[in-house]
Amino acid sequence: MDCVKSADAFERAKAVIPGGVNSPVRSFYAVGGLPRFIVKGKGSKIYDIDGNEYIDYVCSWGPLILGHCDERVISAVAKSVNGGLTFGAPTEGETKLAELICESFPSVEKVRLVNSGTEAVMSALRLARAYTGREKIIKCAGCYHGHVDNLLVQAGSGLASLGLPGSKGISVSQANQTVVVPYNDSQAVRSAFEKFAGQIAAIIVEPVAGNMGVVPPKGDYLAELRRICDDNDALLIFDEVITGFRIARGGAQELFGIRSDITILGKIIGGGMPVGAYGGRSEIMDLLAPLGQVYQAGTLSGNPIAVAAGIATIEKLNEQGVYNRLEKSAQRLEVGLLEAAERAGVKISINRVGSMLTIFFADGKIENYEDVAKADKEKYSRFFHLMLDGGIYLPPSAFESMFVSLAHSSEDIEFTIERAGKSFEQLRITG
Ligand code: HOZ
């Protein structure tokens, strides 16, 4: 595969951008080799500057549930662009997107739009502290909630990929406000509430973890979290930046039937444009300025173009049968990959919820960050490169989710399974 142009582009980028990338997960640092510089995407495929084509299972890390350059989204964006890029004044589109979110998430009566998931989380924590009058936040090891200062402790995604326990530059007082517990362990949460009685404002959790690879909630874990929060007058915050509109229209809350107090959204609700949102019951959300005394603002919040892309995406997802189609494609991919690995004699374990899935090179169940950490990362890296050379673009890290979009055809899925079969075979030969 010819990658001369990507190699040149990376050298140029490294001279002026730290690590050559604007987000560490793009750097291929975890898997080695050269990040591909992308020029365009269409449907299920992306194309690099050397003219190589790949079936894309990163989908911009989740937003592109309709695939690249969906006509409905592109024409909504084009129409919006022609009407002006930003006004710093209210638009009806913002209300429309908020209505679509509230309709899909019954726990959300009111919602604020911001520019990224990180911003939404940061604002939600402020709100939770104001509402409860408490300071501490519980998070789970391996969950990632954007690069919010006090949540960059035992975080997944890029930190896990780079093997960083946390980030430098976080003040000790901030870090001390975070209590870390294992994912899928409600007893650990109860113990934390006992230890810090009257001090915990909220639990923030990815209801289906997607940033340590996919790890589903076990048994009644989410119901237990709900119960513990109710027993202790604390708030339950679901970070549904990945799962919102992905595993069901109403996210994990719909799939598992649990209501959160505050919901964080992003990715799909911007249809590929920068957006984030946080919402919940009116009594909580009305603490925000101008009604209340919790301040949060933004020049580009609710940007009309991002809102137009989000509305077009969600309207498509409102069509009958969409989530069944996603489920069918992703299920076929899961089964095909498992069979191919078994044929080749390579041990893998796949976690999948709807159209998000992760291949772990491990024997046995993956239920928390400790299990994830034991999986064979080196093998994943070799698999990643074999697949890349075969025209399949997987997440460049063993700690991320693959995403199947509505644009992935059955031919794409079968081609991917076939390539995976060859790659597993190669792994078996090379050990
Ligand atoms: N949540 C994404 C990765 N799991 C974020 C992508 C990024 O950090 O660039």
Side-chain angles (χ1 to χ4, degrees):
M1 185 173 275
D2 186 358
C3 296
V4 182
K5 290 184 181 165
S6 274
D8 282 351
F10 195 37
E11 287 311 309
R12 257 182 67 208
K14 281 193 285 190
V16 288
I17 301 173
V21 288
N22 282 312
S23 193
V25 294
R26 300 174 196 174
S27 67
F28 279 28
Y29 197 89
V31 289
L34 176 72
R36 305 305 197 255
F37 278 61
I38 307 301
V39 276
K40 67 173 182 185
K42 184 70 196 153
S44 60
K45 314 257 174 44
I46 50 172
Y47 301 84
D48 70 19
I49 53 176
D50 290 285
N52 300 306
E53 176 186 285
Y54 308 90
I55 299 176
D56 179 22
Y57 289 100
V58 175
C59 293
S60 192
W61 304 93
L64 301 181
I65 194 165
L66 308 184
H68 294 269
C69 264
D70 177 82
E71 274 167 26
R72 185 195 291 236
V73 176
I74 296 302
S75 68
V77 166
K79 195 170 157 211
S80 181
V81 164
N82 283 322
L85 299 181
T86 175
F87 310 111
T91 58
E92 285 190 296
E94 292 162 74
T95 311
K96 173 80 183 157
L97 182 56
E99 285 167 353
L100 287 169
I101 291 171
C102 293
E103 274 163 36
S104 305
F105 288 79
S107 69
V108 176
E109 289 171 357
K110 287 188 181 170
V111 59
R112 259 286 162 86
L113 301 179
V114 291
N115 293 294
S116 70
T118 296
E119 200 187 331
V121 169
M122 188 183 82
S123 312
L125 296 189
R126 186 180 302 150
L127 190 55
R129 290 191 169 115
Y131 181 79
T132 58
R134 302 172 184 171
E135 297 260 304
K136 289 196 190 299
I137 304 289
I138 295 182
K139 83 168 283 278
C140 293
C143 284
Y144 173 74
H145 306 284
H147 61 98
V148 175
D149 268 3
N150 56 327
L151 298 184
L152 283 178
V153 190
Q154 292 189 50
S157 192
L159 278 100
S161 307
L162 299 175
L164 299 173
S167 169
K168 290 211 167 178
I170 312 275
S171 71
V172 176
S173 59
Q174 287 258 30
N176 284 345
Q177 298 307 339
T178 307
V179 180
V180 185
V181 295
Y183 186 74
N184 265 331
D185 183 348
S186 52
Q187 190 44 49
V189 177
R190 278 201 191 279
S191 304
F193 270 96
E194 275 161 29
K195 184 167 174 197
F196 301 105
Q199 297 178 60
I200 291 168
I203 305 173
I204 184 164
V205 67
E206 292 177 80
V208 172
N211 283 296
M212 51 175 136
V214 175
V215 181
K218 224 171 53 173
D220 63 352
Y221 176 60
L222 297 178
E224 272 296 298
L225 294 186
R226 176 70 276 167
R227 217 166 290 137
I228 296 168
C229 283
D230 291 343
D231 290 349
N232 292 280
D233 298 320
L235 297 184
L236 180 59
I237 304 177
F238 276 177
D239 180 340
E240 299 230 41
V241 167
I242 293 180
T243 51
F245 293 96
R246 162 67 62 185
I247 57 177
R249 201 165 40 242
Q253 301 177 41
E254 179 182 322
L255 201 64
F256 297 99
I258 307 293
R259 281 185 180 221
S260 58
D261 298 300
I262 300 180
T263 300
I264 316 286
L265 295 165
K267 300 201 191 268
I268 289 173
I269 62 159
M273 298 292 293
V275 90
Y278 62 109
R281 292 192 302 280
S282 301
E283 53 150 345
I284 302 174
M285 296 304 290
D286 285 347
L287 292 181
L288 289 172
L291 300 179
Q293 292 182 1
V294 180
Y295 200 74
Q296 174 268 310
T299 302
L300 292 171
S301 289
N303 174 262
I305 318 232
V307 161
I311 293 171
T313 301
I314 293 174
E315 281 179 341
K316 172 72 189 174
L317 295 174
N318 279 343
E319 285 175 12
Q320 198 70 27
V322 156
Y323 286 96
N324 281 344
R325 267 172 58 205
L326 283 167
E327 172 67 22
K328 243 175 104 186
S329 302
Q331 192 184 52
R332 170 63 196 137
L333 182 61
E334 178 191 7
V335 170
L337 290 170
L338 285 169
E339 286 172 355
E342 197 179 343
R343 268 197 305 275
V346 173
K347 293 241 177 311
I348 62 165
S349 172
I350 295 183
N351 278 350
R352 179 180 74 81
V353 180
S355 56
M356 53 190 282
L357 69 155
T358 299
I359 306 166
F360 296 99
F361 286 88
D363 199 2
K365 286 190 179 156
I366 304 286
E367 296 181 337
N368 55 34
Y369 193 40
E370 219 182 303
D371 297 338
V372 172
K374 284 189 214 137
D376 190 336
K377 265 79 70 191
E378 192 268 332
K379 212 170 239 177
Y380 181 86
S381 299
R382 282 193 287 141
F383 179 70
F384 167 84
H385 280 291
L386 288 165
M387 294 295 275
L388 192 68
D389 290 344
I392 314 288
Y393 194 86
L394 299 178
S397 161
F399 296 93
E400 301 283 358
S401 170
M402 287 170 70
F403 295 105
V404 176
S405 76
L406 284 166
H408 285 94
S409 64
S410 52
E411 289 75 29
D412 290 329
I413 303 286
E414 295 310 320
F415 184 78
T416 305
I417 293 167
E418 185 220 309
R419 289 288 162 171
K422 289 186 179 148
S423 303
F424 289 135
E425 194 59 41
Q426 197 64 27
L427 285 183
R428 186 184 55 78
I429 293 164
T430 52

